[in-house]
């Protein structure tokens, strides 16, 4: 039983914690939380031990009715691996603390790539991550792109990728981020960092991405244009995409779903926890093939898509299971592939 | 066991159907659905029988992979009461069909008040509804106002109400309704219909409401200004509000929740089905008392707040239980009052 801690209890941290509780080969020792808000109170109610980043936060948590099990130092003394789910850039500041404690560390995609020994995506480079001291699970958009690329690469081969990312502006819980009425060209100078981030896992891939930010909180949408290694049929592409539970095909003709709003509504109706969709959602009817060119729309649920990869990263870094075994355990425990309609 | 049918399977209809399935004194015979979309496919997966409004819809449903148990006429032949959850104004067109079939009918607040023998709100006029042939459960905003008013009226007395309603523009699943960047004065000519609708349940109450529509899908927010029958203390008001599970006090100081976004996030985290909040959410820290004047903010989850009232309406119209018994059964079966933090 590998002992895991989670530093940070926001959008990603709380989902990672829930996912660890569902694994039969991991123990959640506790989470680090800074403020005594509704999510801290919920964690307490659910029996999750809360640790404080420092004495000042510990005082605030206790004053807010949140019992504190200790500081982050106490947590690090009891775990084999820490999953850093602090805000982007903050993980790098914690890195020396993790190293000092002799604890393996898994960072998120909000950190620079050099924060860890390797960037990680389960379907692409699980084996290269085995036994490393630190890993970085790439961000939500990069995870979505890599799931598609590595799945097609394995089955058919991918020569180049051009993608336009239409990004959600904020997570549903974030009340201070904008824009509320603008399309932000982000960044204006191409390429966007997403394609570069893909290369931290697939060096040498010919990929260029561009991104805009639009006023929505639900999901990102990508228009992906791939050049395959050879001409392929629709059936070959569909067969490849259906070979993994990490990808979900959305049949708009059958379901009527043509928007992120309807996808999330289907997840709500299906009883998915928090209406999460950890699968990459590929719009089946958008798949267009011209010889070796493949074009499609896909949607990325930014709050949950990296959760399976974080769980696999624990197994890879601790050398607990083969890639196939880890992915199978993760997918089953998290219910990936359970039908939304 | 009272046999219930639901005509319409949208925002309200699917929730009413789920709620009926949780009652030990009701049987869901089936629902009427027009199109074979994701929610119809989900209903099939869950074993809910689907009826079609007409032969043309039946053909479309069957062609879309949705088995059809019969037409609405077949459904009406098997039920004691039909809950009409069709779009606003459509219920009136179905009324003759319900009467012809000799089936009691419960309409929603989107219909004119004269569609039914009485308008209904559990905490206000349950007893008057007992044994009627038709009822109209008032709309979400009216239900929210009535829960507050009748609770305070019972404990302290209410002389007059002035309320400003900040309304959500569309439900989360609705991709065609606006506005996306405007505050609509709706209507400009005062009062708004909400206060008038309150009077269909509480005739003679001095109430004036005004409403604007803003670009959000999560919840409505009301600023309510009440004149009490006499000066009251904060403790008296809090005690009254805590006397029913239909009202939830939101402690912003303790939870950090100051927005509808955070309220819904708390419901997601707490594992509420579809992140629903059927309780009226009163912001505790907003409660301000000046002698006999009471001012507060409250939030109304438009998708789910009327569901408990629909279930009570079945028991009232069928004379199945006393008001207290029905409310207790409904609240327990639907989990009202289960903590969000």
């Amino acid at each position: 039983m590998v002992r895991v801690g989670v530093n940070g209890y926001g959008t990603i941290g709380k989902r990672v914690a829930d996912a660890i509780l569902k694994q039969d080969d991991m123990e959640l020792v506790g989470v680090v939380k800074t403020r005594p808000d509704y999510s801290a109170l919920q964690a307490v109610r659910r029996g999750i031990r809360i640790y404080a980043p420092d004495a000042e936060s510990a005082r605030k948590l206790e004053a807010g009715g949140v019992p504190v099990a200790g500081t982050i130092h106490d947590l690090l003394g009891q775990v084999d691996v820490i999953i850093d789910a602090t805000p982007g850039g903050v993980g790098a500041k914690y890195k020396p603390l993790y190293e000092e404690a002799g604890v393996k560390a898994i960072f998120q995609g909000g950190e620079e790539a050099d924060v860890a020994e390797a960037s990680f995506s389960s379907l692409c480079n699980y084996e290269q991550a085995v036994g490393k001291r630190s890993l970085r699970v790439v961000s939500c958009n990069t995870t979505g792109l890599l799931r598609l690329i590595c799945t097609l690469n394995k089955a058919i081969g991918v020569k180049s990728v051009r993608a336009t990312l239409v990004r959600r502006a904020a997570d549903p819980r974030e009340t201070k981020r904008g824009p509320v009425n603008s399309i932000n060209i982000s960044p204006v100078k191409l390429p966007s960092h997403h394609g570069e981030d893909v290369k931290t896992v697939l060096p040498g891939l010919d990929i260029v991405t561009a991104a805009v930010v639009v006023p929505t909180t639900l999901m990102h949408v990508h228009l992906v244009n791939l050049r395959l290694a050879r001409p392929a049929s629709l059936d070959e592409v569909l067969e490849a995409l259906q070979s993994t539970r990490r990808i979900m095909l959305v049949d708009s003709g059958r379901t009527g779903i043509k928007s992120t709003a309807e996808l999330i509504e289907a997840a709500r109706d299906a009883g998915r926890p928090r209406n999460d969709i950890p699968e990459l959602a590929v719009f089946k009817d958008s798949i267009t093939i011209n010889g070796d060119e493949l074009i499609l729309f896909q949607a990325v649920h930014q709050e949950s898509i990296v959760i399976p990869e974080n769980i696999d990263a624990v197994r890879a870094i601790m050398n607990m299971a083969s890639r196939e075994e880890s992915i199978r355990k993760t997918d089953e425990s998290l219910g990936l592939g359970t039908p939304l309609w």
Side-chain angles (χ1 to χ4, degrees), chain A residues 319-337:
Chain A
N319 200 3
M320 294 162 68
S322 70
R323 164 191 146 127
E324 288 67 28
E325 173 71 1
S326 178
I327 289 175
R328 188 189 61 72
K329 284 176 82 82
T330 302
D331 289 356
E332 282 185 10
S333 60
L334 302 186
L336 267 72

Side-chain angles (χ1 to χ4, degrees), chain A residues 22-37:
Chain A
K22 291 180 179 163
Q23 309 308 312
D24 62 12
D25 51 358
M26 300 179 197
E27 179 200 345
L28 178 69
V29 178
V31 303
V32 181
K33 178 96 182 76
T34 51
R35 280 185 304 275
D37 60 6

Side-chain angles (χ1 to χ4, degrees), chain A residues 69-129:
Chain A
T71 67
I72 187 168
H73 301 277
D74 300 318
L75 177 63
L76 290 172
Q78 302 171 69
V79 302
D80 304 303
V81 55
I82 184 91
I83 298 182
D84 182 288
T86 59
V90 176
K93 294 179 187 159
Y94 274 108
K95 190 184 178 189
L97 201 65
Y98 304 153
E99 291 180 336
E100 199 181 306
V103 163
K104 296 200 181 201
I106 294 166
F107 297 92
Q108 305 304 311
E111 305 300 319
E112 299 292 333
D114 64 6
V115 76
E117 291 178 4
S119 287
F120 179 80
S121 181
S122 307
L123 301 184
C124 300
N125 68 344
Y126 184 98
E127 289 83 357
Q128 291 167 36

Side-chain angles (χ1 to χ4, degrees), chain A residues 183-206:
Chain A
I183 303 172
N184 295 358
I185 318 294
S186 174
V188 173
K189 189 169 156 55
L190 296 177
S192 76
H193 76 274
H194 309 92
E196 304 308 299
D197 204 23
V198 164
K199 293 186 204 171
T200 65
V201 173
L202 297 179
L205 179 70
D206 176 7

Side-chain angles (χ1 to χ4, degrees), chain A residues 36-300:
Chain A
D37 60 6
Y38 63 95
S39 75
L41 294 166
Q42 282 179 336
V44 171
R45 184 177 293 280
R46 300 185 49 217
I48 295 175
R49 279 187 298 277
I50 310 274
Y51 293 77
D54 51 46
E56 173 62 17
S57 292
R59 272 192 296 276
K60 279 186 193 166
L61 285 161
E62 293 271 5
V66 177
V68 174
T71 67
I72 187 168
H73 301 277
D74 300 318
L75 177 63
L76 290 172
Q78 302 171 69
V79 302
D80 304 303
V81 55
I82 184 91
I83 298 182
D84 182 288
T86 59
V90 176
K93 294 179 187 159
Y94 274 108
K95 190 184 178 189
L97 201 65
Y98 304 153
E99 291 180 336
E100 199 181 306
V103 163
K104 296 200 181 201
I106 294 166
F107 297 92
Q108 305 304 311
E111 305 300 319
E112 299 292 333
D114 64 6
V115 76
E117 291 178 4
S119 287
F120 179 80
S121 181
S122 307
L123 301 184
C124 300
N125 68 344
Y126 184 98
E127 289 83 357
Q128 291 167 36
V130 171
K132 290 272 193 298
R133 285 171 52 214
S134 60
L135 290 175
R136 167 179 168 268
V137 174
V138 292
S139 69
C140 52
N141 281 306
T142 309
T143 295
L145 288 167
L146 281 167
R147 283 195 193 162
L148 180 75
I149 295 166
C150 290
T151 299
L152 291 171
N153 208 22
K154 189 176 168 189
I156 302 166
V158 173
K159 281 206 311 212
S160 66
V161 182
R162 300 292 179 268
T164 308
L165 281 54
V166 184
R167 294 170 53 205
R168 68 86 182 95
D171 284 344
R173 72 191 181 97
E174 295 177 317
T175 57
K176 290 179 181 171
R177 284 179 68 169
V180 293
N181 187 35
S182 173
I183 303 172
N184 295 358
I185 318 294
S186 174
V188 173
K189 189 169 156 55
L190 296 177
S192 76
H193 76 274
H194 309 92
E196 304 308 299
D197 204 23
V198 164
K199 293 186 204 171
T200 65
V201 173
L202 297 179
L205 179 70
D206 176 7
I207 179 169
V208 180
T209 55
V212 298
V213 173
V214 300
T216 181
T217 63
L218 302 177
M219 300 179 85
H220 306 291
V221 168
H222 302 170
L223 188 282
V224 188
N225 190 315
L226 288 110
R227 188 69 63 176
L228 300 170
R230 58 172 173 78
S233 69
L234 177 60
D235 280 348
E236 276 183 289
V237 170
L238 290 176
E239 194 181 335
L241 299 181
Q242 285 168 322
S243 69
T244 170
R245 288 164 71 172
R246 299 270 159 111
I247 296 177
M248 165 197 296
L249 285 176
V250 181
D251 185 337
S252 300
R254 184 157 164 264
T255 63
I257 295 175
K258 298 175 186 173
S259 64
T260 55
E262 290 157 309
L263 257 181
I264 294 294
E265 182 79 354
R268 296 173 77 196
D269 289 349
R272 288 281 185 104
R274 294 187 174 95
N275 61 254
D276 283 352
I277 306 178
E279 301 94 338
L280 173 69
V282 173
F283 285 83
K284 187 180 173 188
D285 300 335
S286 74
I287 298 176
T288 302
I289 300 177
N290 302 309
D292 62 355
E293 183 184 30
L294 170 63
I295 312 176
L296 57 76
F297 274 116
Q298 62 184 24
V300 169

